[in-house]
């Protein structure tokens, strides 16, 4: 066992380091040089020219977002969804904690407890979308195909840290009953025909 | 000691002790042999059979085959690999696929070995039987996950000594006969055994009623036994493991505080459980479940701090207890040096005096042995300690020594069913309080080397012996001749005839005769059972190493000086090696570091105890202090080891070092004092950050450092005084002790241990009295009176009741004049 973390008593700056950026000019001459070089390079006009040119062509290919939206493939990875079991309607998540463990941005957190039915119950579950990099590891590791990526990519917010909770991601029960939950074909889903590669366990009954 | 020998494992030459188990020899040399059921320090059970190896061409089980000089061992052969894979397949038969929610996941030996043996398909099958999970109180058992390795049973019997678990019938059908042919031999045998049992309670009751150490759940390789409090709260891999030393008693067990954030919206570290290296150290219930005693939600209160400084300026005394670190003790001592405070700490003072009196005879500054050695002795004696509650690890050492083909004597006024239940090789003698000297004289008489003992003592011991005539019944074999008539067929005539012949038989017969025997009156004084000497003869057969454990009853005994000398004489003139149980967590360290005073002055600061101004880690004083799980520092254990402990949970307030700095001492951190601990008292100049805290694969304890022995400069004096038989206390007696799992108000702060103290009475004492559980009684002694509730405790027996010290609401100490027993009157109010 490493004792390093216990020996470092400098708790305040733990894990921080300085980013290597050019120093701000301090002298008057330095500031002048920076302004001059930025204005005279003319990068600004390149962009303005492109806009002007396209405006006169009247040939606009842009999707009229937000009025229009592009269709999204099943393997696209946007804000997560939590699926339910089709038969019973119970949530698929068993609270195993694998998504929390695998998440490389460490943005999933969950609390679990032993419930009245002697089952593991997920009492709280949140994903910090401000940190999530939508890598899909959580969806891939999930043994229950409970957490998956949906197509909702609009997650702008006023704060860097903003969370989505279990209830928000879970298929509403009436949506499930109305047959609106589809089996997820995307990232981490079972490969079609994978049944064939499973070795069968003998059963005594 | 055993011989050093050389053996070869997989072509690697290694040194080991003759007779060591192959598995241990391999482990000590970092050679991996799969093994599931074996627990280091306990007896091999051969339940798993996965540790198969080939030794000199023969398949043996590494966990119970002993090494011989020149042995050549191969850890895998084709056949062994087949066996191991089949064994793991068997373990996986009907094993639920519930790793996703299982508490063991991530540290599960079934997961690990299934993967290690590359099990990717299943060849065996049997119909499952219903095995519902059960709630055993502080432990949950799920037989569905149990692989019947019997590690829990072994730990509970061989280490803990409660014997609370056993295997019970599973009620499964027979294994398909065809498998006998098709399966590897050992795998089949192991399956056959496994298929017959699950784990049950020895008592046959619904709930587990033991000393609640949780060691069974700790050793369980799978998720079958788990701590009820921990179920489904966390996964093993989420924890930060903080290597530490338990702060509850003087055993100083190595523990790991397993922490993680409190919850989704509270990032503060929280301790979820305590785990341990169960192969090398076994915890008690206080260490395992009493982990959240921190002083939480404390901030730096400047006004209180200012008031504290004023109080320190005004004070002439610091009262404190021994539940502090060595560094804090040194700070107190430095404050004494600088400002002349009197340091008052009764338990450390008593222990220190006892040690000094002991040194006068033994010429050694400290007792010679430690618990580690007790584990490996054949014959253990305990005097003056309620072993299981004073120092649970001393109890485990006692039990372990007895279980590993040893025997023991337990001398204590309070009968202890746990000790009695350990083994038939333990004899308990419940002598009267204040007769401890007689016990020690008896030990000198029975075990002392009569050629070396001072003649005065020999003469004194001789006064207890006399000859007496007793009538004994002996069984002798007597020759009896009887006439037997048989019918035989005459070969010649072919007719049946009767033939009579004499048959001589030896028949056992009981005769009484009178013999002269030696009568040892010491046995009568201590109340030894009938035929004690005969029993002792049996117990002593083939015993070569002896340990004596002495405990806190002796340090406060009115004749503690004489007792200390007697104890030293036993160590000196007999084969016994000696361990003393320091009263509280750091009594030994405090005693060594601080120059203590007898009387308090006018104005006292109390540190975790009473005073005119109180500093308290319990959160009930005038200024908050951190508890031991919030501090880094060192603690001195019974094993004379200076053990480091680390911070498990945060603390936001002031610490003793801040006060010391404000008063003019200078150190940035408390642990700057670690290297300043007094070398003249045996400590070493080692920096805190350089202190290790782990066990090696060979089981070697690499923790902190061992105290050095110091020269004794007192005049040798082996004079001891005679026993005063009339001193023996009788009447209604009360003892000062704690129930198992409680030591101090700190243990009583932990959410799993919180309880209300009272007057603890044995079931038999209760049924013989008018009192009922829950009755409010007034306990009155010469020194004082308390009013408490009656509690039934089935972990003691006999008439003596006890009052606890862990409940801050009961001032039990006020009833006792130092010695842990007193006569009292108990009346219902
Ligand atoms: S997508 Fe990646 S970053 Fe986002 S929650 Fe899942 S594992 Fe974490
Ligand atoms: S991996 Fe899946 S089942 Fe496990 S906790 Fe995450 S969402 Fe739930
Ligand atoms: S005991 Fe081990 S193998 Fe069995 S469910 Fe638990 S983690 Fe999985
Ligand atoms: S409960 Fe655990 S330790 Fe006990 S036999 Fe079962 S698997 Fe082994
Ligand atoms: S209280 Fe004592 S015996 Fe129990 S775990 Fe702590 S140090 Fe070990
Ligand atoms: S470890 Fe040797 S038989 Fe189990």
């Amino acid at each position: 066992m490493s004792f390093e973390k216990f020996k470092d008593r400098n708790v305040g700056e733990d894990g921080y380091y300085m980013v290597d950026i050019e120093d701000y000019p301090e002298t008057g001459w330095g500031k002048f040089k920076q302004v001059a070089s930025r204005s005279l390079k003319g990068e600004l006009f390149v962009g303005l020219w492109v806009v002007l040119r396209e405006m006169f062509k009247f040939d606009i290919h842009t999707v009229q977002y937000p009025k229009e939206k592009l269709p999204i493939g099943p393997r696209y990875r946007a804000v997560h969804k939590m699926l339910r079991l089709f038969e019973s309607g119970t949530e698929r998540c068993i609270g195993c904690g694998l998504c929390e463990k695998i998440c490389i941005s460490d943005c999933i957190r969950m609390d679990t407890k032993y419930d009245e039915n002697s089952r593991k119950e997920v009492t709280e579950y949140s994903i910090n979308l401000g940190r999530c990099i939508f890598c899909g590891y959580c969806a891939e590791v999930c043994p229950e195909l409970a957490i998956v990526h949906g197509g909702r990519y609009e997650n702008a917010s006023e704060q860097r840290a903003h969370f989505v909770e279990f209830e928000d991601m879970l298929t509403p029960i009436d949506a499930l009953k109305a047959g609106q939950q589809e089996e997820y074909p995307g990232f981490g889903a079972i490969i079609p025909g994978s049944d064939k590669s499973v070795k069968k366990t003998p059963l005594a009954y | 000691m055993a011989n050093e020998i050389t053996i070869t494992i997989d072509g690697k030459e290694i040194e080991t002790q003759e007779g060591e188990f192959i598995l241990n020899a391999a482990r000590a040399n970092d050679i991996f042999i799969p093994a599931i059921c074996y627990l280091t320090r306990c007896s091999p059970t051969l339940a798993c059979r996965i540790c198969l190896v080939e030794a000199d061409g023969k398949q043996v089980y590494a966990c119970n085959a002993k090494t011989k000089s020149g042995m050549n061992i191969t850890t895998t052969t084709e056949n062994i690999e087949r066996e191991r894979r089949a064994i793991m397949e068997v373990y996986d038969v009907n094993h639920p696929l519930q790793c996703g929610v299982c508490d063991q996941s991530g540290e599960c030996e079934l997961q690990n070995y299934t993967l290690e043996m590359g099990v990717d398909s299943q060849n065996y099958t049997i119909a499952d039987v219903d095995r519902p999970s059960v709630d055993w109180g502080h432990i949950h058992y799920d037989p569905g996950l149990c692989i019947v390795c019997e590690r829990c049973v072994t730990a509970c019997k061989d280490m803990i000594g409660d014997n609370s678990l056993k295997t019970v019938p599973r009620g499964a059908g027979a294994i398909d006969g065809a498998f006998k042919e098709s399966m590897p031999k050992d795998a089949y045998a192991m399956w056959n055994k496994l298929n017959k049992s699950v784990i049950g309670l020895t008592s046959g009751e619904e709930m587990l009623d033991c000393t609640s150490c949780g060691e069974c759940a700790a050793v369980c390789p799978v998720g079958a036994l788990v701590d009820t409090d921990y179920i489904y709260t966390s996964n093993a891999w989420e924890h930060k493991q903080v290597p530490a030393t338990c702060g509850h008693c003087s055993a100083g067990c190595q523990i790991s505080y397993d922490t993680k954030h409190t919850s989704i919206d509270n990032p503060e570290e929280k301790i979820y459980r305590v785990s341990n290296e169960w192969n090398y150290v076994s915890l008690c219930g206080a260490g395992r479940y009493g982990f959240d005693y921190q002083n939480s939600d404390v901030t730096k209160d400047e006004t209180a701090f200012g008031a504290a400084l004023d109080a320190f300026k005004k004070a002439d005394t610091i009262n404190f207890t021994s539940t502090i670190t060595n560094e804090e003790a040194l700070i107190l001592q430095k404050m004494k040096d600088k400002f002349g405070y009197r340091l008052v700490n009764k338990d450390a003072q008593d222990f220190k005096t006892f040690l000094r009196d002991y040194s006068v005879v033994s010429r050694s500054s400290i007792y010679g042995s430690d618990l580690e050695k007790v584990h490996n002795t054949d014959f253990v004696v305990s005097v003056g300690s309620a072993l299981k509650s004073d120092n649970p690890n001393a109890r485990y050492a006692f039990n372990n020594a007895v279980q590993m083909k040893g025997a023991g004597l337990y001398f204590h006024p309070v009968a202890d069913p746990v000790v009695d239940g350990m083994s038939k090789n333990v004899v308990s003698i419940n002598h009267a309080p204040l007769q401890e000297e007689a016990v020690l004289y008896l030990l000198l008489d029975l075990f002392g080397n009569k050629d070396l003992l001072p003649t005065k003592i020999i003469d004194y011991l001789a006064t207890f012996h006399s000859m007496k005539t007793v009538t004994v019944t002996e069984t002798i074999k007597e020759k009896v001749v009887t006439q037997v008539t048989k019918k035989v067929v005459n070969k010649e005539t072919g007719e049946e005839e009767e033939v009579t012949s004499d048959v001589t038989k030896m028949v056992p017969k009981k005769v009484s005769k009178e013999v002269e025997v030696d009568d040892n009156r010491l046995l009568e004084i201590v109340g030894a059972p009938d035929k004690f000497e005969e029993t002792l003869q049996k117990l002593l057969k083939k015993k070569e190493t002896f340990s004596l454990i002495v405990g806190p009853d002796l340090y406060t005994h009115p004749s503690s000086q004489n007792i200390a000398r007697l104890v030293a004489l036993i160590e000196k003139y007999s084969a016994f090696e000696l361990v003393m149980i320091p009263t509280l967590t750091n009594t030994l360290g405090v005693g060594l570091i601080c120059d203590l005073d007898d009387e308090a002055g006018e104005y006292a600061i109390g540190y975790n105890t009473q005073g005119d101004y109180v500093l308290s880690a319990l959160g009930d004083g005038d200024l908050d202090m951190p508890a031991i799980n919030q501090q880094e520092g060192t603690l001195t254990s019974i094993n004379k080891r200076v053990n480091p402990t680390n911070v498990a949970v945060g603390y936001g307030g002031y610490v003793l070092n801040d006060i010391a700095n404000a008063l003019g001492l200078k150190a940035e951190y408390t642990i700057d004092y670690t290297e300043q601990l007094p070398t003249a008292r045996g400590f070493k100049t080692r920096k805190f950050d350089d202190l290790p805290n782990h066990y090696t694969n060979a089981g070697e304890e690499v923790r902190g450092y061992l105290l050095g022995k110091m020269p004794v400069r007192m005049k040798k004096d082996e004079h001891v005084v005679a026993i005063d038989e009339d001193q023996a206390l009788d009447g209604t007696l009360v003892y000062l002790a704690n129930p198992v799992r409680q030591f101090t108000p700190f243990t009583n702060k932990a959410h799993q241990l919180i309880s209300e103290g009272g007057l603890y009475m044995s079931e038999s004492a209760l049924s013989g009295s008018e009192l009922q559980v829950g009755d409010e009684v007034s306990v009155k002694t010469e020194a004082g009176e308390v009013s408490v509730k009656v509690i039934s405790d089935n972990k003691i027996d006999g008439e003596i009741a006890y009052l606890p010290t862990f409940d801050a609401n009961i001032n039990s100490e006020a009833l006792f004049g130092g010695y842990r027993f007193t006569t009292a009157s108990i009346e219902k109010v």
Side-chain angles (χ1 to χ4, degrees):
Chain A
M1 175 170 298
S2 152
F3 283 84
E4 285 316 312
K5 52 181 180 287
F6 300 109
K7 290 178 188 170
D8 181 10
R9 294 179 184 82
N10 199 358
V11 282
E13 291 164 26
D14 210 16
Y16 286 83
Y17 59 89
M18 300 303 284
V19 178
D20 188 22
I21 50 168
E22 230 174 81
D23 287 342
Y24 290 107
E26 273 172 17
T27 59
W29 174 239
K31 283 180 186 162
F32 173 75
K33 267 206 307 194
Q34 194 188 41
V35 172
S37 80
R38 282 184 180 172
S39 353
L40 297 178
K41 266 193 181 163
E43 289 140 332
L44 181 63
F45 299 103
V46 178
L48 285 178
W49 164 244
V50 172
V51 175
L52 199 70
R53 190 186 62 199
E54 295 305 307
M55 212 174 90
F56 288 120
K57 278 191 182 165
F58 292 107
D59 176 22
I60 294 168
H61 292 281
T62 326
V63 173
Q64 298 296 300
Y65 182 82
K67 280 192 225 144
E68 284 174 12
K69 280 177 195 165
L70 283 174
I72 282 187
R75 294 182 68 81
Y76 191 81
R77 305 190 299 270
V79 177
H80 313 69
K81 289 206 278 188
M82 280 284 176
L83 303 186
R84 289 184 188 265
L85 291 170
F86 286 113
E87 301 83 357
S88 62
T90 47
E91 41 214 64
R92 291 187 186 181
C93 173
I94 55 170
C96 70
L98 290 180
C99 49
E100 183 187 25
K101 172 68 188 164
I102 205 166
C103 175
I104 46 177
S105 347
D106 204 7
C107 60
I108 301 185
R109 249 188 200 183
M110 55 197 293
D111 293 344
T112 53
K113 70 161 208 220
Y114 185 74
D115 76 4
E116 313 72 55
N117 308 318
S118 316
R119 298 179 72 99
K120 191 172 191 172
E121 185 189 317
V122 181
T123 50
E124 303 275 354
Y125 186 111
S126 75
I127 301 179
N128 180 348
L129 293 179
R131 290 184 69 148
C132 175
I133 59 163
F134 301 97
C135 61
Y137 280 11
C138 50
E140 190 168 25
V141 78
C142 180
E144 304 294 316
L145 209 65
I147 190 165
V148 300
H149 280 288
R152 186 167 77 82
Y153 46 77
E154 288 135 324
N155 55 356
S157 80
E158 305 96 49
Q159 278 189 336
R160 189 182 295 187
H162 63 288
F163 297 86
V164 56
E165 292 188 344
F166 197 83
E167 291 302 314
D168 313 331
M169 292 183 279
L170 191 64
T171 315
I173 192 76
D174 16 320
L176 180 89
K177 282 187 183 143
Q180 283 161 13
Q181 176 181 292
E182 276 168 30
E183 189 52 82
Y184 177 66
F187 211 79
I190 297 168
I191 301 161
S194 50
D195 283 12
K196 289 195 200 79
S197 55
V198 173
K199 286 187 197 171
K200 292 214 172 72
T201 300
L203 278 181
Y205 41 87
Chain B
M1 270 271 95
N3 300 330
E4 279 281 321
I5 52 162
T6 310
I7 58 169
T8 319
I9 304 182
D10 287 343
K12 189 175 159 193
E13 282 204 354
I14 62 168
E15 305 264 308
T16 182
Q17 305 280 331
E18 177 156 22
E20 177 64 283
F21 293 132
I22 295 175
L23 181 64
N24 288 340
R27 283 179 173 173
N29 289 281
D30 290 334
I31 297 170
F32 173 68
I33 298 175
I36 297 179
C37 68
Y38 180 67
L39 281 174
T40 314
R41 310 189 293 172
C42 297
S43 39
T45 50
L46 298 191
C48 80
R49 302 188 183 219
I50 204 163
C51 66
L52 272 177
V53 291
E54 206 175 85
D56 293 337
K58 229 177 88 207
Q59 264 185 25
V60 294
Y61 306 108
C63 70
N64 94 328
K66 296 187 171 164
T67 53
K68 280 202 240 38
S69 185
M71 214 177 217
N72 190 1
I73 295 150
T74 322
T75 59
T76 42
T77 63
E78 212 173 291
N79 187 48
I80 290 175
E81 264 172 29
R82 253 169 30 94
E83 289 276 11
R84 287 191 185 144
R85 177 178 162 124
I87 289 170
M88 287 324 296
E89 273 184 44
V90 166
Y91 277 144
D92 290 333
V93 170
N94 293 337
H95 191 86
L97 271 176
Q98 63 175 62
C99 300
V101 295
C102 181
D103 281 311
Q104 196 76 6
S105 186
E107 51 182 10
C108 171
E109 289 178 42
L110 187 62
Q111 281 180 337
N112 292 351
Y113 281 118
T114 299
L115 214 64
E116 173 80 24
M117 305 306 158
V119 177
D120 55 358
S121 61
Q122 177 64 276
N123 292 298
Y124 313 118
T125 170
I126 187 166
D128 206 353
V129 284
D130 185 29
R131 288 175 284 160
S133 69
V134 276
D135 175 6
W136 279 341
H138 70 290
I139 298 279
H140 251 71
Y141 176 54
D142 186 344
L145 297 172
C146 176
I147 59 171
V148 204
C149 65
E150 294 177 37
R151 246 164 42 182
C152 49
V153 180
T154 312
C156 192
K157 177 170 185 293
D158 286 358
M159 188 52 62
I160 308 303
D162 268 56
N163 287 320
S164 293
L165 303 174
K166 63 170 186 186
T167 50
V168 295
R170 173 188 293 236
I175 298 170
D176 187 345
F179 287 129
K180 185 163 187 179
E181 303 307 315
S182 66
M183 276 179 88
K185 207 169 97 283
D186 277 289
Y188 178 77
M190 166 258 162
W191 190 12
N192 227 331
K193 197 167 157 220
L194 175 148
N195 189 45
K196 290 197 174 80
S197 30
V198 287
I199 301 301
L201 302 181
T202 319
S203 62
E205 305 276 327
E206 297 265 296
M207 282 288 162
L208 189 54
D209 179 15
C210 57
T211 50
S212 310
C213 64
E215 204 56 21
C216 49
V219 301
C220 182
V222 291
L225 285 176
V226 282
D227 294 329
T228 306
D229 182 67
Y230 184 72
I231 302 183
Y232 295 168
T233 54
S234 192
N235 286 310
W237 58 77
E238 291 179 77
H239 295 307
K240 177 166 113 187
Q241 296 203 294
V242 182
T245 298
C246 172
H248 291 317
C249 91
S250 55
C253 297
Q254 196 225 21
I255 57 171
S256 158
Y257 290 113
D258 290 358
T259 67
K260 74 164 186 180
H261 55 258
T262 309
S263 69
I264 273 203
D265 37 39
N266 183 357
E268 243 161 67
E269 286 296 294
K270 169 182 158 183
I271 306 171
Y272 280 76
R273 65 170 181 186
V274 160
S275 57
N276 62 320
E277 290 269 15
W278 34 261
N279 265 317
Y280 312 121
V281 57
S282 307
L283 306 185
C284 77
R288 184 167 309 279
Y289 302 118
F291 49 75
D292 51 344
Y293 58 94
Q294 66 271 11
N295 197 2
S296 36
D297 303 324
V298 177
T299 50
K300 295 205 169 173
D301 177 352
E302 280 172 34
T303 356
F305 189 66
L309 293 183
D310 291 342
F312 267 89
K313 282 175 194 146
K314 192 168 158 199
D316 55 5
T317 304
I318 302 173
N319 288 327
F320 65 110
T321 65
S322 300
T323 42
I324 60 170
T325 61
N326 292 323
E327 288 72 14
E328 288 183 292
L330 184 60
I331 293 177
L332 293 178
Q333 178 60 28
K334 293 211 173 223
M335 298 219 271
K336 171 176 183 155
D337 295 342
K338 200 161 170 160
F339 307 109
Y341 293 120
R342 299 186 200 186
L343 298 182
V344 180
N345 178 334
K346 188 80 176 60
D347 75 89
Q349 172 83 322
D350 290 333
F351 188 58
K352 192 175 179 157
T353 313
F354 191 82
L355 265 180
R356 187 170 322 119
D357 294 333
Y358 153 88
S359 304
V360 169
V361 174
S362 74
R363 318 301 301 150
S364 161
S365 60
I366 196 158
Y367 48 89
S369 185
D370 56 34
L371 292 184
E372 207 72 5
K373 292 201 185 109
V374 176
H375 275 280
N376 298 318
T377 42
D378 314 320
F379 194 83
V380 209
V381 175
S382 161
V383 184
S385 171
L387 215 49
K388 69 173 189 301
S389 53
D390 287 347
N391 187 313
N393 247 269
R395 189 254 282 202
Y396 300 163
F398 183 102
N399 173 62
N400 188 228
V402 170
Q403 301 295 350
M404 301 290 104
K405 301 204 180 76
L409 302 178
Y410 179 76
F411 292 94
H412 201 261
V414 181
D416 189 330
V418 178
V419 172
D420 292 340
M422 282 177 184
S423 151
K424 60 180 192 319
N425 293 334
V426 176
V427 177
S428 293
I429 297 171
N430 308 119
H431 58 83
L434 288 182
Q435 291 303 305
E436 288 83 356
E437 283 156 294
V439 172
L440 296 170
Y441 272 118
L442 175 66
L443 291 178
L444 270 178
D445 189 36
L446 294 172
F447 301 97
N449 185 336
K450 300 271 158 63
D451 299 334
L452 300 176
L453 265 174
T455 32
K456 259 190 167 170
I457 296 176
I458 297 191
D459 292 346
Y460 178 60
L461 289 174
T463 62
F464 292 100
H465 289 267
S466 59
M467 296 309 269
K468 69 170 174 188
T469 341
V470 286
T471 321
V472 287
T473 32
E474 266 184 9
T475 316
I476 51 162
K477 296 242 163 118
E478 206 180 41
K479 205 181 217 177
V480 183
V481 184
T482 37
Q483 285 197 330
V484 188
T485 316
K486 273 197 282 190
K487 282 188 180 165
V488 280
V489 181
N490 190 320
K491 279 186 191 143
E492 284 161 30
T493 59
E495 276 171 34
E496 227 174 55
E497 315 177 340
E498 284 196 350
V499 181
T500 315
S501 59
D502 284 351
V503 177
T504 323
K505 267 205 253 168
M506 299 298 281
V507 181
K509 186 179 163 202
K510 288 211 169 130
V511 289
S512 312
K513 63 175 179 182
E514 304 221 311
V515 282
E516 284 255 294
V517 288
D518 171 53
D519 178 34
N520 188 350
R521 217 166 55 77
L522 281 169
L523 290 174
E524 184 194 318
I525 300 174
V526 304
D530 290 348
K531 307 233 174 106
F532 175 74
E533 280 170 310
E534 270 173 51
T535 325
L536 187 65
Q537 284 312 321
K538 275 188 218 144
L539 293 185
L540 282 173
K541 251 185 220 146
K542 293 207 213 138
K543 303 296 186 291
E544 280 163 2
T545 45
F546 297 80
S547 283
L548 172 64
I549 305 173
V550 301
D553 294 6
L554 308 186
Y555 317 148
T556 51
H557 194 286
S559 344
S560 69
Q561 184 189 35
N562 197 40
I563 288 187
R565 290 180 177 200
L566 283 169
V567 166
L569 286 171
I570 296 176
E571 190 187 30
K572 188 165 175 188
Y573 294 114
S574 77
F576 278 101
E577 295 193 37
L578 175 69
V579 195
M580 296 180 189
I581 299 177
T583 321
L584 286 172
T585 310
N586 203 16
T587 301
L588 178 57
V590 169
L592 292 173
I593 296 163
C594 298
D595 298 327
L596 299 165
D597 299 275
D598 295 325
E599 295 292 330
E602 313 248 295
Y603 187 91
I605 304 278
Y607 185 10
N608 289 336
T609 181
Q610 286 123 330
D612 299 303
Y613 186 90
V614 175
L615 310 177
S616 172
L618 290 160
D620 58 357
D622 302 308
L623 183 71
D624 283 304
M625 287 283 123
I628 289 195
N629 60 3
Q630 297 170 298
Q631 289 195 54
E632 44 185 4
T634 57
L635 298 165
T636 313
S637 77
I638 184 174
N639 291 350
K640 299 174 283 186
R641 209 175 256 288
V642 180
N643 293 315
T645 189
N646 282 300
V647 178
V649 281
Y651 171 72
Y654 290 102
V655 301
L656 191 61
N657 190 35
D658 296 328
I659 296 177
N661 283 342
L663 291 174
L665 294 179
K666 207 171 165 299
E668 190 181 359
Y669 300 113
T670 305
I671 45 121
D672 291 351
Y673 287 105
T674 312
E675 54 194 304
Q676 297 173 31
L677 291 171
T679 45
R681 310 277 170 90
F683 290 91
K684 297 195 173 138
T685 352
R686 298 264 305 263
K687 278 201 169 67
F688 178 78
D689 284 352
D690 296 342
L691 298 179
N693 194 3
H694 66 270
Y695 284 86
T696 63
N697 269 353
E700 197 197 334
E701 191 174 4
V702 192
R703 302 177 60 207
Y705 59 82
L706 285 171
L707 286 175
K709 264 198 183 171
M710 292 297 111
V712 175
R713 292 208 190 79
M714 283 169 288
K715 226 175 107 236
K716 176 165 154 178
D717 181 1
E718 296 196 344
H719 177 74
V720 282
V721 299
I723 307 170
D724 180 1
E725 280 175 63
D726 303 331
Q727 234 188 359
L729 291 181
D730 56 9
T732 310
L733 297 175
V734 182
Y735 183 47
L736 185 65
N738 284 309
V740 283
R741 308 212 290 176
Q742 292 285 13
F743 289 96
T744 58
F746 288 107
T747 44
N748 200 32
K749 221 182 148 185
H751 81 277
Q752 295 188 71
L753 302 185
I754 272 180
S755 62
E756 198 185 324
L759 180 73
Y760 296 82
M761 296 176 74
S762 73
E763 285 173 349
S764 63
L766 263 176
S767 64
S769 80
E770 312 273 86
L771 299 171
Q772 305 280 333
V773 174
D775 282 355
E776 191 76 24
V777 289
S778 145
V779 185
K780 207 185 285 174
T781 71
E782 275 176 18
E785 181 177 357
V786 290
S787 173
V788 287
K789 283 211 171 70
V790 172
I791 296 173
S792 163
D793 183 351
N794 64 1
K795 299 284 176 273
I796 57 162
D797 213 344
E799 290 305 312
I800 304 179
Y802 68 90
L803 281 170
T805 60
F806 74 89
D807 188 340
N809 296 324
I810 305 173
N811 187 7
S812 307
E813 279 100 334
L815 265 63
F816 294 80
Y819 186 52
R820 284 174 84 185
F821 291 91
T822 181
T823 46
S825 72
I826 300 172
E827 263 157 44
K828 198 165 158 175
V829 286

